[in-house]
Amino acid sequence: MMNRTLSRARRAGAVTALALSLAMLTGCASSPETSPEVSEARKNLQELKNDANLAGRARVETREAEKAVVLAEESLAASDAELAKHRMYMANQKVEIARAKARTDYLEEQRQRLAEEREAERLANRTDEADRARSEAAELQRRMDARDIAEDEREAERLAQRADEANQARSDKAELQRRIDELQAESTERGIVLTLGDVLFTTGSAELQRGGYENLNRLVAFLEAYPERDALIEGHTDSVGATDSNDRLSKRRADSVQSYLVRSGIDRQRLSTSGKGESQPVATNDTAAGRERNRRVEIIIENPQ
Amino acid sequence: MKNRDGTPLTRAVLLSAVLMAGLLLGACATKPMDPPESLGQARDAIARAEQSDSREYAGSELDAAKQKLEMAETAADEQDMAEAERLAQEALIAAELALARTTAAKAEEVNREMERGAEALTDEMRRKEEQR
């Protein structure tokens, strides 16, 4: 009884072992079964492929992911749940790797674009700066031109003033000339020479005659008008009579004119006198007309120093 | 004696069945008892990811890789080489994902920096414009 029981037990053990080995064999084969998470990996892969920014990038990784997804989609027996889970994990990871690589690629391309944009902006900035510099230069030029105009105006003013001065000088000169003409004098290198004829004096006398006053008064007016001018009064005679007495006479006549002028208000300091006698004739002494011309008083009004 | 131990035929059948089961079990598992190569590859990949600052940019991916590696090592220690191989492959792929995401995050950072720079430039230009 015991033996039989034992033998049955052994037989059962053998059967179990056989059954187990059979189960093992079928375990290596496959039976239809789908995992919902596999379709998740497929969905992610599809999403990556449809992403406008990422599609067509990271081709190698995407192909790897594709293969992994296909592998994970293969049906496995329920007993191979661990393997199915593993394949699913691998597929998901590979899809995510492909996505990350595609994103990196996209970002690097964006960076390139950014760099180009920035360069363009910098260029635009520089162009702006150049424009500004140009307009500043134009402004500066404008100001300089304005200053030039002001300068020109000042110069014109200076010129006008100088012209005025010249005009003034010319009119002064004209005035002088008019007065010289009035004096019936003439301009020479020594100065303005006024010759008073012998009508001023009676023969042999140094007394002034009334008829010469008019000429002398004009001389006074002239000397008053030109206070910076000194006058040299020279007496001259003809050759009649002794030289000594002629010299003295000519000196006295010069002094007489000087006295008159001083009496008329001219500073004596401005008036020097000399008697030249018969030494400087202006005409022949052989004729009466010549001698008359030689008897004279010359007043030389010196040009201002 | 014979009756107690069963017939020699019964014994042979029993023995062969047990042997066959053992063989079949072995056939489904990876054969050698050395740790799988992928374990080393996973370690290398994790090291690369760490060198690329994945701790900062893809911390959870890196953690997952390390966890998988640890599990793979445990499985290898327990001589479950099939499990060790699978887990090592998962650790490797997780480390690769950590690295890929780190690279992408860094690229994004650089681009943001550049955009800020470009904006700063634009702002500066606007300010200059306003000063005029």
Side-chain angles (χ1 to χ4, degrees):
Chain A
M1 210 39 202
M2 276 281 276
N3 272 354
R4 271 164 107 188
T5 315
L6 195 71
S7 164
R8 239 195 333 267
R10 281 205 191 110
R11 211 167 297 145
V15 169
T16 312
L18 269 169
L20 193 69
S21 56
L22 253 163
M24 284 280 164
L25 269 169
T26 48
C28 276
S30 58
S31 67
E33 177 101 8
T34 34
S35 161
E37 287 172 86
V38 167
S39 54
E40 187 68 27
R42 166 69 64 186
K43 217 183 85 189
N44 286 342
L45 179 65
Q46 205 51 50
E47 198 183 281
L48 170 61
K49 284 178 167 176
N50 290 339
D51 191 312
N53 289 335
L54 305 183
R57 299 179 195 275
R59 286 175 184 281
V60 174
E61 288 79 5
T62 306
R63 213 160 29 238
E64 286 288 309
E66 177 97 59
K67 275 197 284 189
V69 169
V70 168
L71 186 66
E73 278 171 347
E74 268 180 24
S75 297
L76 287 178
S79 52
D80 273 338
E82 283 298 309
L83 180 62
K85 216 177 130 194
H86 168 69
R87 287 179 175 174
M88 182 195 68
Y89 181 82
M90 296 299 281
N92 272 320
Q93 295 293 90
K94 284 185 174 177
V95 170
E96 288 315 306
I97 288 173
R99 190 198 301 283
K101 291 255 167 95
R103 177 144 183 78
T104 302
D105 189 51
Y106 169 69
L107 287 168
E108 279 168 357
E109 198 181 275
Q110 286 289 97
R111 188 181 308 161
Q112 185 66 31
R113 193 182 50 73
L114 265 173
E116 279 162 13
E117 271 177 18
R118 192 144 81 159
E119 186 55 32
E121 208 156 341
R122 200 169 22 223
L123 213 70
N125 195 9
R126 216 172 299 157
T127 309
D128 274 6
E129 268 169 23
D131 285 350
R132 260 201 297 283
R134 213 169 295 132
S135 73
E136 271 165 21
E139 171 65 11
L140 195 65
Q141 185 62 51
R142 199 185 59 70
R143 279 193 217 151
M144 278 169 70
D145 287 352
R147 204 169 53 194
D148 283 355
I149 289 169
E151 189 82 20
D152 286 352
E153 279 170 357
R154 272 199 296 280
E155 179 64 18
E157 216 163 304
R158 265 200 300 276
L159 283 174
Q161 199 175 339
R162 211 173 301 159
D164 280 357
E165 281 166 9
N167 277 337
Q168 185 62 45
R170 205 174 305 131
S171 75
D172 284 356
K173 207 174 157 193
E175 169 69 5
L176 176 64
Q177 192 55 53
R178 192 182 59 71
R179 284 175 181 276
I180 290 167
D181 290 349
E182 213 170 64
L183 282 177
Q184 291 164 2
E186 54 179 329
S187 290
T188 70
E189 273 181 38
R190 296 173 66 198
I192 300 154
V193 179
L194 168 65
T195 305
L196 301 171
D198 66 343
V199 289
L200 211 54
F201 304 97
T202 47
T203 309
S205 161
E207 289 294 313
L208 282 169
Q209 289 201 336
R210 198 162 281 279
Y213 286 176
E214 203 187 327
N215 266 342
L216 286 173
N217 288 339
R218 275 201 292 271
L219 178 61
V220 168
F222 186 90
L223 289 172
E224 278 172 347
Y226 299 94
E228 74 282 7
R229 290 169 184 255
D230 291 347
L232 174 61
I233 305 162
E234 285 179 357
H236 297 271
T237 63
D238 58 21
S239 60
V240 177
T243 310
D244 285 359
S245 64
N246 279 340
D247 284 350
R248 277 194 303 275
L249 178 63
S250 64
K251 174 70 169 136
R252 274 205 314 278
R253 284 181 169 176
D255 287 345
S256 178
V257 169
Q258 183 196 39
S259 295
Y260 181 83
L261 294 177
V262 170
R263 275 202 305 278
S264 300
I266 306 300
D267 189 352
R268 185 182 293 275
Q269 297 277 303
R270 296 171 61 198
L271 308 166
S272 51
T273 57
S274 68
K276 298 288 183 187
E278 57 184 70
S279 63
Q280 289 173 18
V282 291
T284 178
N285 279 309
D286 294 343
T287 62
R291 281 193 296 274
E292 190 181 313
R293 286 186 61 202
N294 286 338
R295 291 191 299 273
R296 68 204 193 273
V297 170
E298 284 180 358
I299 294 144
I300 301 115
I301 300 161
E302 290 167 354
N303 291 327
Q305 297 306 309
Chain B
M1 261 316 252
K2 265 187 181 175
N3 270 350
R4 218 177 58 193
D5 289 2
T7 60
L9 176 73
T10 319
R11 252 163 109 177
V13 168
L14 188 69
L15 195 72
S16 69
V18 169
L19 259 171
M20 188 140 170
L23 254 170
L24 283 172
L25 268 169
C28 267
T30 18
K31 256 195 295 184
M33 292 295 117
D34 291 333
E37 265 178 51
S38 49
L39 215 54
Q41 291 171 353
R43 282 195 200 101
D44 291 349
I46 288 169
R48 274 199 303 278
E50 281 182 324
Q51 275 164 19
S52 302
D53 307 318
S54 284
R55 167 70 37 224
E56 189 184 336
Y57 294 96
S60 64
E61 291 84 349
L62 185 65
D63 284 344
K66 284 177 145 182
Q67 203 186 333
K68 294 275 184 190
L69 178 65
E70 221 168 279
M71 285 161 70
E73 280 166 343
T74 306
D77 286 349
E78 288 169 358
Q79 295 290 295
D80 188 351
M81 293 311 165
E83 181 69 0
E85 169 69 27
R86 276 204 291 267
L87 287 167
Q89 278 181 15
E90 289 179 7
L92 174 63
I93 212 76
E96 281 176 358
L97 178 59
L99 184 59
R101 284 193 169 154
T102 297
T103 308
K106 282 180 175 177
E108 195 148 14
E109 215 170 61
V110 171
N111 285 22
R112 258 203 308 276
E113 203 60 45
M114 278 185 74
E115 267 164 26
R116 259 204 297 279
E119 276 165 24
L121 189 72
T122 312
D123 284 353
E124 192 185 305
M125 279 175 64
R126 201 172 306 127
R127 265 200 305 282
K128 270 191 193 169
E129 212 53 47
E130 279 164 7
Q131 276 172 15
R132 300 186 59 75

